[in-house]
Amino acid sequence: MAGSADSTVLAGARVVLPTGTIENGRVIVEDSRIAGSAPEDALSVDLSGHWLVPGFVDMHNHGGGGASFTSGTVDEVLTGIRTHREHGTTTLVASTVTGEMDFLAHRAGVLSELVEQGDLAGIHFEGPFISPCRKGAHSEDLLRDPDPAEVRKLMDAARGTAKMFTLATELPGGIDSVRLLAEHGVIAAIGHTDATYEQTVAAIDAGATVATHLYNAMPPLAHRAPGPIAALLEDERVTVELINDGTHLHPAALELAYHHAGAHRVALITDAMDAAGFGDGRYQLGPLAVEVKDGVARLVEGNSIAGSTLTLDTAFHRAVTIDRIPVEDVVQSISANPARLLGVYDRVGSLEPGKDADLVVLDADFRLKGVMRKGEWIIEPQIG
């Protein structure tokens, strides 16, 4: 299958396009991009019996392969990136966790270099501007109200690579911080919040557009106190993140989000930490010790869920086979929607001519068989 590196025709697969699924479809790869036509002598790869979908886009990820985006060296971060690429995530945002402001500013500098050289798609600051009532796996001693001046400090440290901040917008300075982020084209995400329904509506009106891992680290939906969940699900301006690992969400909760928000407003994420693609054991998530057992990450002290060990190929497989979400809807949630939110849909997120040749090959049972990024196989499918 090595053949010519210039032009390759991937033929015979079910190809998922923005307009729907094409049976016995073709995707033409020329150098690093998807092309509209191929020369007669182009290498042809027969993918009959397989699915061809866009590379996955993960907008919320703390690490993998034993490596941490929150504290690791550049080489360790690259190891984590490589691990997720091997599971189909061809575009990835690195997420931090709560820490001292100077430390977070330093991490922003480290990660921004990897964004600038094309290894990452941006930085997501999750904490320290979150509620102590819903802190999850964040150090309470380091939490602080979302002061716009401090938000701006981290934006500046990221040198234009900050893509998203998760905020408890009900805290003092929350609404002003949302406005600041919106003015600079950075996503304001509502999460780790104890907000009421009304407070959440106010934050959305101020410019918040994402729900950080909907349901998790926020008040539950109640009939007289609907809280943030109802406000986030009902507003067409909001995209809701979902962690589909079988631990963070009951399948009925995932189905409710898809039914009420629609596939066009769902972003499947991993919220992965170091153990993703690596295994059980002891890890650090920022300053906190984490024990991973049977693939579930929990804090050693307090037993809170501490991120996930999820990879997006598993999230895709669960969504289609267990949750019975249509393949086209899953592709929208795992590729197109996050790409649009991150401002990179002109390059990735769908299999259209002119875009990067980022794609995933799945077998008939939706198991990953191949991954291509910018025209190069990361995992070359062994067909036949």
Side-chain angles (χ1 to χ4, degrees):
M1 198 182 295
S4 168
D6 294 330
S7 295
T8 303
V9 179
L10 307 176
R14 290 177 171 172
V15 180
V16 181
L17 301 174
T19 52
T21 298
I22 305 298
E23 300 286 340
N24 193 27
R26 289 168 23 118
V27 171
I28 300 164
V29 176
E30 186 171 331
D31 297 323
S32 65
R33 297 189 178 276
I34 297 171
S37 61
E40 292 184 4
D41 61 347
L43 173 70
S44 183
V45 178
D46 184 6
L47 295 178
S48 299
H50 291 72
W51 292 83
L52 202 55
V53 301
F56 308 144
V57 180
D58 193 355
M59 56 189 282
H60 187 156
N61 188 313
H62 299 277
S68 170
F69 299 155
T70 67
S71 60
T73 65
V74 168
D75 285 344
E76 287 169 342
V77 173
L78 289 170
T79 294
I81 293 169
R82 185 165 56 251
T83 296
H84 285 283
R85 285 180 184 170
E86 290 170 353
H87 289 273
T89 298
T90 51
T91 301
L92 185 148
V93 169
S95 301
T96 65
V97 295
T98 295
E100 296 282 2
M101 285 295 297
D102 287 345
F103 176 78
L104 291 174
H106 172 72
R107 288 306 298 171
V110 172
L111 296 172
S112 65
E113 292 183 10
L114 293 173
V115 178
E116 290 160 0
Q117 67 189 37
D119 293 298
L120 291 170
I123 303 170
H124 163 218
F125 292 98
E126 188 180 21
F129 310 116
I130 61 175
S131 172
C133 301
R134 304 287 173 178
K135 64 182 184 297
H138 292 257
S139 177
E140 186 168 354
D141 294 342
L142 298 174
L143 300 182
R144 54 215 297 138
D145 291 340
D147 180 349
E150 293 191 323
V151 171
R152 183 60 187 261
K153 175 182 177 179
L154 294 182
M155 287 172 56
D156 290 344
R159 302 199 300 266
T161 67
K163 289 291 185 178
M164 183 164 68
F165 280 72
T166 291
L167 309 170
T169 53
E170 76 278 9
L171 296 176
I175 296 297
D176 287 340
S177 295
V178 169
R179 292 194 180 106
L180 172 70
L181 293 167
E183 287 169 4
H184 288 82
V186 179
I187 297 166
I190 300 172
H192 288 276
T193 176
D194 205 41
T196 64
Y197 173 89
E198 291 78 12
Q199 289 171 326
T200 306
V201 169
I204 297 168
D205 287 341
T209 56
V210 166
T212 294
H213 43 54
L214 184 74
Y215 302 112
N216 298 113
M218 60 182 63
L221 182 67
H223 63 293
R224 280 192 289 270
I229 293 172
L232 294 163
L233 279 177
E234 72 183 9
D235 200 303
E236 281 292 321
R237 295 170 291 182
V238 176
T239 297
V240 298
E241 294 182 345
L242 298 174
I243 309 170
N244 192 23
D245 62 352
T247 299
H248 280 79
L249 297 177
H250 189 283
L254 181 130
E255 196 279 333
L256 174 66
Y258 266 96
H259 176 77
H260 201 77
H264 67 289
R265 288 180 47 221
V266 171
L268 293 177
I269 61 162
T270 61
D271 193 18
M273 45 79 71
D274 313 15
F278 200 68
D280 290 356
R282 279 284 184 107
Y283 296 87
Q284 287 290 128
L285 188 59
L288 302 178
V290 175
E291 180 78 27
V292 178
K293 185 177 180 181
D294 297 327
V296 178
R298 293 186 179 274
L299 292 183
V300 172
E301 294 187 14
N303 206 40
S304 291
I305 295 176
S308 84
T309 62
L310 184 64
T311 53
L312 281 182
D313 58 329
T314 298
F316 192 111
H317 184 265
R318 282 187 59 87
V320 176
T321 62
I322 296 174
D323 305 306
R324 303 298 180 185
I325 306 296
V327 176
E328 295 82 2
D329 288 353
V330 178
V331 167
Q332 192 171 9
S333 302
I334 211 166
S335 299
N337 294 346
R340 287 193 186 95
L341 282 166
L342 296 172
V344 295
Y345 189 66
D346 60 328
R347 303 196 308 273
V348 300
S350 66
L351 300 177
E352 296 176 275
K355 293 193 175 185
D356 290 348
D358 291 1
L359 52 88
V360 175
V361 181
L362 305 167
D363 67 15
D365 297 319
F366 301 100
R367 299 290 186 185
L368 185 143
K369 293 299 178 181
V371 181
M372 177 182 284
R373 183 175 187 270
K374 294 189 176 180
E376 295 186 2
W377 290 112
I378 294 170
I379 297 178
E380 189 168 357
Q382 303 301 310
I383 307 299

